[in-house]
Amino acid sequence: MAITEVIVIGGGAAGFFSAIHAAQAAHTQVILLEAGRQPLAKVRISGGGRCNVTHHCFEPSQLVQNYPRGGKALRGAFSRFQPLDVVRWFNGEGVKLKTESDGRMFPITDDSETIVEALIFAAKKAGVFLRNNVLVQKIERFGSSKFEVILKNGETLVCDRLLLATGSSPSGYAIARSLGHELESPVPSLFTFNIKDPKLHELAGVSVNPAQVKLLIPSLSTDKKKSVRNQLEQSGALLITHWGVSGPAVLKLSAWAARELHDCKYQAKLAINWLHKLKAEEVKQILLNAKTEQPKKFISNYCPVDVSLRLWEYLLDKAEVALEKRWADISHKSIQQIANVLTASEYAIAGKGAFKEEFVTCGGIRLQDVNFQTMESKICQGLFFAGEILDIDGVTGGFNFQNAWTTAWIASQGIIA
């Protein structure tokens, strides 16, 4: 029976970051257990292989607005460790980050391996003992203040502080339950929408920035609709795909409405304003002006609003307006139909798609059961949490990694206190 002071289960961003900082404390032995053959798998694939490390938002009160769940709990946490601290830490490890126009921050190499190598090197330098391909079978309390970590190979490790950084892994949830914790039911967050519209699919690759998207879920009670009204409407870039729609606007909407969409089995209506916040009456006037000013032009060739010609032709077809007509021949009824389609096209959502190879989960350890000053369990002394295992999730843009870095750092400080 091997005895160590700290065991971290989960070799992802949160697990590594907490292990590094805990091990840097004098006389603290740290073992990091990873079930896979390679650690940091999610870091490797994030941001299309570039790793969206964090977001260029250094004001905690603004930062928390990007978390559908957990923002309130993170407010104080971000005042202690925020994106600027992450930038400084990686800079100290020889990794410089850059900021893109939308605020996302990446290593200047545009290669996630840069982040992976920095974390692995820092862990080795700090004396973390990393063990890959190790499956934890169960955890038991040993005496009054120690944990027995029983591995699938029959080996048993003993520690007096245990950190779970297992993300959305069912095995991590099972361990937490065995130690007395209840969970908010895990459901998917950050996903794309499937829409069965072959003509829309033909526009795959066309993007609109910004667009406004709104969910219409008839099954929601009146009270529930009022409480989530702002969450069910988002703005941002929208991308048409060969299965439906994606892009930041859709991903944000899927995150804020993760539970509502899960409850309706991902069968809902989506309204798209292709012209962002323009109202139908405003667009109608733009179209009437086009009719007056360009009467001889074919409607298919002259688009007076800010969408591509391919999308314009598709939307005219959706409004049941013949493409071979000239502007002079367009009736006022047709003008109204086009305005309605431009500002409130409705689509039936028929399920969800994946967001690249990444995934984020809404749900996990109940936040009221965790002390956010230390990330220690209020139910089981000596047990700590970090990262996505908690009921915290952010929208796309580096916010989920920031949750990992922040909760991991705070957990490490709690562990060594």
Side-chain angles (χ1 to χ4, degrees):
M1 183 181 293
I3 299 179
T4 190
E5 290 189 62
V6 179
I7 290 178
V8 177
I9 302 177
F16 261 83
F17 211 62
S18 56
I20 290 165
H21 286 89
Q24 285 173 342
H27 311 302
T28 304
Q29 293 179 298
V30 180
I31 291 179
L32 177 56
L33 304 179
E34 163 56 30
R37 280 185 283 184
Q38 267 194 328
L40 300 164
K42 200 166 179 179
V43 174
R44 294 175 196 275
I45 64 172
S46 71
R50 295 197 298 147
C51 189
N52 185 184
V53 177
T54 186
H55 198 92
H56 194 274
C57 179
F58 303 145
E59 174 50 57
S61 62
Q62 295 175 16
L63 191 58
V64 297
Q65 294 173 21
N66 296 283
Y67 293 85
R69 283 146 294 271
K72 185 177 179 181
L74 286 172
R75 178 63 179 83
F78 286 150
S79 69
R80 296 172 62 194
F81 196 90
Q82 55 129 304
L84 189 57
D85 297 298
V86 174
V87 173
R88 288 169 177 161
W89 187 83
F90 276 105
N91 190 55
E93 296 299 318
V95 177
K96 293 191 181 299
L97 303 181
K98 62 177 181 177
T99 305
E100 300 201 337
S101 58
D102 58 4
R104 293 181 301 162
M105 300 192 75
F106 296 86
I108 59 171
T109 59
D110 277 330
D111 187 351
S112 61
E113 283 300 317
T114 304
I115 303 301
V116 170
E117 289 169 6
L119 289 168
I120 290 175
F121 179 76
K124 288 179 179 177
K125 186 170 59 176
V128 175
F129 183 35
L130 172 63
R131 294 183 61 180
N132 296 325
N133 209 22
V134 174
L135 297 176
V136 176
Q137 189 168 23
K138 63 179 178 177
I139 307 285
E140 293 181 353
R141 290 308 297 253
F142 176 65
S144 60
S145 62
K146 292 189 180 294
F147 299 92
E148 280 189 344
V149 180
I150 301 164
L151 307 182
K152 194 171 182 181
N153 64 10
E155 183 182 356
T156 297
L157 306 174
V158 175
C159 65
D160 55 16
R161 282 153 291 172
L162 177 70
L163 172 71
L164 292 182
T166 48
S168 56
S169 165
S171 63
Y173 293 146
I175 292 170
R177 284 195 188 98
S178 74
L179 295 172
H181 274 269
E182 294 181 20
L183 302 178
E184 297 294 345
S185 245
V187 301
S189 180
L190 284 188
F191 47 83
T192 61
F193 296 157
N194 294 341
I195 294 172
K196 293 181 179 177
D197 183 341
K199 290 183 178 179
L200 181 69
H201 300 170
E202 290 174 6
L203 297 175
V206 170
S207 63
V208 176
N209 188 17
Q212 191 173 45
V213 289
K214 183 178 181 180
L215 274 177
L216 308 171
I217 306 179
S219 59
L220 287 183
S221 66
T222 302
D223 288 344
K224 182 66 173 174
K225 283 179 183 176
K226 288 179 181 176
S227 68
V228 300
R229 183 176 293 149
N230 292 336
Q231 301 174 9
L232 301 185
E233 190 170 316
Q234 297 291 325
S235 297
L238 181 144
L239 175 67
I240 300 172
T241 69
H242 62 269
W243 66 84
V245 289
S246 181
V250 168
L251 294 170
K252 283 192 289 184
L253 188 59
S254 77
W256 283 103
R259 291 214 174 276
E260 288 74 26
L261 284 164
H262 175 266
D263 291 345
C264 71
K265 298 181 172 56
Y266 307 101
Q267 306 293 314
K269 284 188 177 179
L270 178 71
I272 301 176
N273 184 339
W274 300 96
L275 302 177
H276 195 211
K277 294 185 178 180
L278 284 181
K279 307 289 186 185
E281 283 305 306
E282 294 174 296
V283 176
K284 181 180 176 182
Q285 190 56 53
I286 293 171
L287 300 176
L288 287 171
N289 290 343
K291 177 180 170 69
T292 301
E293 296 166 5
Q294 305 290 340
K296 295 183 179 180
K297 288 193 175 180
F298 289 102
I299 190 169
S300 60
N301 292 337
Y302 180 71
C303 173
V305 293
D306 190 19
V307 296
S308 71
L309 275 179
R310 286 179 65 201
L311 179 57
W312 171 246
E313 288 183 0
Y314 162 80
L315 293 172
L316 290 175
D317 181 68
K318 191 172 177 66
E320 300 180 340
V321 175
L323 300 182
E324 63 273 12
K325 283 191 173 184
R326 298 179 189 273
W327 274 100
D329 302 325
I330 304 300
S331 69
H332 280 244
K333 181 182 177 182
S334 292
I335 292 281
Q336 186 66 61
Q337 286 175 266
I338 298 169
N340 291 342
V341 167
L342 282 164
T343 57
S345 293
E346 284 195 11
Y347 299 90
I349 296 173
K352 61 180 176 61
F355 173 41
K356 301 181 181 178
E357 295 177 298
E358 302 170 46
F359 58 92
V360 172
T361 300
C362 150
I365 302 298
R366 297 193 314 180
L367 303 188
Q368 62 264 40
D369 296 333
V370 179
N371 177 357
F372 267 72
Q373 293 295 314
T374 60
M375 303 312 300
E376 184 174 14
S377 165
K378 295 179 182 178
I379 293 169
C380 180
Q381 185 179 358
L383 174 64
F384 296 79
F385 300 100
E388 201 187 339
I389 190 172
L390 296 156
D391 183 24
I392 297 174
D393 61 291
V395 298
T396 181
F399 301 104
N400 287 293
F401 269 133
Q402 185 57 50
N403 166 49
W405 310 130
T406 293
T407 54
W409 183 85
I410 292 175
S412 73
Q413 304 310 293
I415 284 170
I416 65 179

